[in-house]
Amino acid sequence: MSIHAVLAGLRDAEQAAGRPAGSVRLVAVTKGHSLEEIDAHVLAHGTFPLGENRGQELRDKSAERPELEWHFIGPLQRNKVKYLSRVTLVHTIEAAWQAEAIAQAAQGWGRAPDVLLQLHNGEAQKHGVLPADLPGTLSAVQATGLVVRGLMVIAPDVATGADQAGILRVFQDTADRAHDLGLAELSMGMSADYPLAVQAGATLIRVGRSLFT
């Protein structure tokens, strides 16, 4: 598969969901790929946000190509915050301390990234804010001065028994919660399930391996 196939699938998913073409943005997940590979497989075909989940890899790539739009999409540990100085959007906020650390570091950067709250998908040992804690976490993160644009969720793993109906329910529940909180951005869907995410209202999909195979 290539980026052309992914974009064609995305346009088909938008049309099937009755949504305008271009209403969903592709975040190209580029971990483990060199800037030369990213240029050849992704940026030669358009302008896309680039998603990284490894702090040092993000630091090095974004330092070399600061003009690109970088997103952080991995679990955020305290020692990774220093690598986010060139990031536009952090997808994985799940606790107020993470926002506080970013806001403090951003005073030295002269700018702060926007953020998404990661919603827990119901699977044990997974990251994310529990649904009951979402309003309180949102208030605490907003109190740091960071702009919360929306929610992110990772679909349940089919290896644990999740089917398409179950995955769609998680996406729809996330969209409903974002709407209730007045949040517009929805980062949902990856290579295997992004059509379902588009159906549920995703505005960002995170696709990686399909772009480079």
Side-chain angles (χ1 to χ4, degrees), residues 25-33 48-59 61 69-77 80 83-84 86-94 98 102 113-119 127-128 149 151-155 185-191 204-209 211-212:
R25 294 181 76 196
L26 167 66
V27 178
V29 179
T30 51
K31 65 177 181 180
H33 294 282
F48 306 94
L50 306 178
E52 291 282 339
N53 68 352
R54 298 168 180 161
Q56 292 179 334
E57 188 174 348
L58 168 64
R59 175 198 63 192
K61 289 177 180 177
E69 181 179 346
W70 296 96
H71 290 194
F72 185 73
I73 60 172
L76 182 58
Q77 299 157 352
K80 292 183 180 180
Y83 301 133
L84 304 182
R86 297 181 180 88
V87 165
T88 298
L89 184 64
V90 178
H91 290 231
T92 49
I93 297 297
E94 56 182 324
Q98 296 169 320
I102 292 171
D114 291 347
V115 301
L116 306 176
L117 302 185
Q118 181 174 352
L119 183 65
H127 289 273
R149 282 171 37 185
L151 303 181
M152 182 274 256
V153 75
I154 297 173
E185 198 84 89
L186 283 167
S187 174
M188 309 190 300
M190 301 194 297
S191 294
L204 299 169
I205 62 169
R206 309 177 306 275
V207 176
R209 66 178 184 272
L211 306 179
F212 296 94

Side-chain angles (χ1 to χ4, degrees), residues 2-77:
S2 68
I3 193 167
H4 297 293
V6 171
L7 291 175
L10 178 55
R11 299 291 89 86
D12 288 346
E14 288 174 330
Q15 184 175 22
R19 299 179 58 183
S23 59
V24 185
R25 294 181 76 196
L26 167 66
V27 178
V29 179
T30 51
K31 65 177 181 180
H33 294 282
S34 67
L35 287 167
E36 291 74 19
E37 290 176 299
I38 295 167
D39 279 328
H41 290 272
V42 178
L43 298 177
H45 309 285
T47 302
F48 306 94
L50 306 178
E52 291 282 339
N53 68 352
R54 298 168 180 161
Q56 292 179 334
E57 188 174 348
L58 168 64
R59 175 198 63 192
D60 295 344
K61 289 177 180 177
S62 64
E64 191 167 344
R65 298 290 296 277
E67 79 281 6
L68 300 176
E69 181 179 346
W70 296 96
H71 290 194
F72 185 73
I73 60 172
L76 182 58
Q77 299 157 352

